[in-house]
Amino acid sequence: MPSQLASDAEIRRALTGIARLALHARSVMVSTGAGVSAESGIPTFRDAQTGLWARYDPVMLASYQGFVLDPANVWRWYDERRQVMQQSEPNAGHLALARWEELWRGQGREFTLATQNIDGLHSRAGSQVPIELHGNIWYARPLDGQYSEAQELAQCPLPELPPRAADGRLLRPHVVWFGEMLDSLLLGRAMAAAGRADLLLVVGSSSQVYPAAALPHAALRKGGTVVEINPDETELSPHVQHSIRGRSGEILPLLLEEIETLLT
Ligand code: BV8
């Protein structure tokens, strides 16, 4: 049964143990969800449906069917999210993960970051090669085009909805919609890293959306230790060794403190 940790003393003790595990691990992986961007002011996927969007089901808006029904409206939803993301800064949790990656890279240790988030904040925090499993909202590609035709679409807000390529082709956000396959190379890299991870952290995810939610189970099957950081209990909580009830912007910097103490 996992330890569900909420008191400061319990969390501190667990973080010391997790830092020790990290130092003895051949490979470490972190998988993040919308919760890691919450303290940057970006509503989580499920909280996002407020105000005008309250009457829309995000799974419908984030789907091919929803898009072709009303491209302008779906782009309006994405561009409003882009405007919030544009005003947001990486928070202490993003920065702690970038620092961890830098420390591990400096010591020739394996560190993999995979994210379900499309906001680009891990890269802005300094993470070098985040595996963006669900794409990136700052890129777009022709609806009738290839995944590889993605181009940066940085202008925000967009001058016209829906945006079109120079040749007039309708553009779609370069994100993975519900019902769409993830990029097989990215998913393959993430699953392979999870299978190698002696320690895998799942941070800020409700662990409800597959195949991303399968990553921690790939680590558990191979005998890896899985740690969850989330203020709430999730479907993953009963399966992990440690489920830390806390916000990523607070817990991750504390974990990095423990790791850096052990490294000195
Ligand atoms: C696929 C990009 C093969 C777009 C996203 C029926 C039909 C079709 C498919 C399915 C189906 N049934 C099941 C499926 C599979 C489906 C799925 O899993 N559905 C779920 C709803 C059951 N998956 C797919 O469709 C995937 N493709 O399977 O293809 C296929 C094809 C056809 C048919 C079957 C299979 C594609 C999924 C990708 C969808 N795109 N995003 C966009 O963003 O607009 S998903 C989107 O939602 C996010 O990227 C993210 O992945 C997900 C939200 O999850 P979270 O990130 O966890 O966010 P959430 O809000 O849920 O939770 C936040 C957590 O943070 C909470 O737990 C909260 O407590 C915590 N938190 C809050 N504050 C903090 C915090 N934690 C830490 N610190 C804090 N401060």
Side-chain angles (χ1 to χ4, degrees):
M1 191 53 190
S3 47
Q4 182 156 321
L5 303 160
S7 78
D8 286 353
E10 286 172 331
I11 289 177
R12 268 286 183 185
R13 260 197 308 279
L15 292 178
T16 305
I18 293 162
R20 283 204 189 96
L21 258 178
L23 280 169
H24 290 95
R26 285 163 310 153
S27 171
V28 167
M29 181 170 186
V30 179
S31 176
T32 67
V36 88
S37 294
E39 289 157 90
S40 296
I42 299 175
T44 66
F45 204 77
R46 278 152 182 69
D47 297 345
Q49 297 316 98
T50 55
L52 166 69
W53 300 107
R55 65 178 184 277
Y56 289 87
D57 171 2
V59 176
M60 255 318 282
L61 287 167
S63 73
Y64 183 86
Q65 296 78 355
F67 183 78
V68 293
L69 267 179
D70 190 346
N73 193 47
V74 171
W75 265 114
R76 189 168 298 108
W77 179 56
Y78 277 102
D79 207 34
E80 284 192 15
R81 291 169 67 190
R82 284 157 43 106
Q83 290 171 58
V84 172
M85 293 167 184
Q86 189 179 54
Q87 303 306 319
S88 302
E89 293 297 325
N91 63 57
H94 294 107
L95 296 169
L97 292 177
R99 173 70 181 138
W100 192 354
E101 178 180 314
E102 182 191 24
L103 278 173
W104 255 229
R105 190 182 302 282
Q107 300 199 358
R109 294 167 179 264
E110 186 178 349
F111 181 95
T112 304
L113 173 65
T115 186
Q116 299 168 74
N117 302 338
I118 62 171
D119 55 34
L121 284 185
H122 282 302
S123 297
R124 284 176 55 196
S127 293
Q128 300 293 305
V129 276
I131 301 175
E132 295 181 320
L133 293 167
H134 294 164
N136 186 309
I137 193 51
W138 299 109
Y139 287 77
R141 66 179 194 265
L143 179 66
D144 59 1
Q146 300 302 317
Y147 195 80
S148 55
E149 292 183 70
Q151 300 273 340
E152 193 170 8
L153 185 70
Q155 196 177 359
C156 180
L158 288 169
E160 73 163 314
L161 297 173
R164 293 185 177 278
D167 60 8
R169 292 158 81 189
L170 176 61
L171 291 176
R172 58 161 287 172
H174 187 54
V175 300
V176 180
W177 280 327
F178 285 100
E180 290 189 321
M181 304 296 277
L182 278 64
D183 175 79
S184 53
L185 279 179
L186 294 181
L187 183 59
R189 272 178 51 209
M191 283 296 175
R196 285 195 308 273
D198 297 320
L199 174 64
L200 187 147
L201 271 66
V202 179
V203 187
S205 180
S206 62
S207 293
Q208 289 178 5
V209 175
Y210 285 82
L215 289 170
H217 299 284
L220 288 168
R221 272 198 301 278
K222 293 290 185 65
T225 298
V226 176
V227 173
E228 179 183 45
I229 297 173
N230 194 319
D232 298 341
E233 186 164 353
T234 73
E235 295 174 14
L236 179 67
S237 301
H239 303 279
V240 302
Q241 282 82 351
H242 297 295
S243 190
I244 297 178
R245 290 287 158 271
R247 295 204 297 258
S248 48
E250 291 164 15
I251 302 296
L252 288 172
L254 291 176
L255 176 57
L256 261 290
E257 268 178 41
E258 293 293 330
I259 289 173
E260 292 188 296
T261 304
L262 291 176
L263 281 174
T264 48

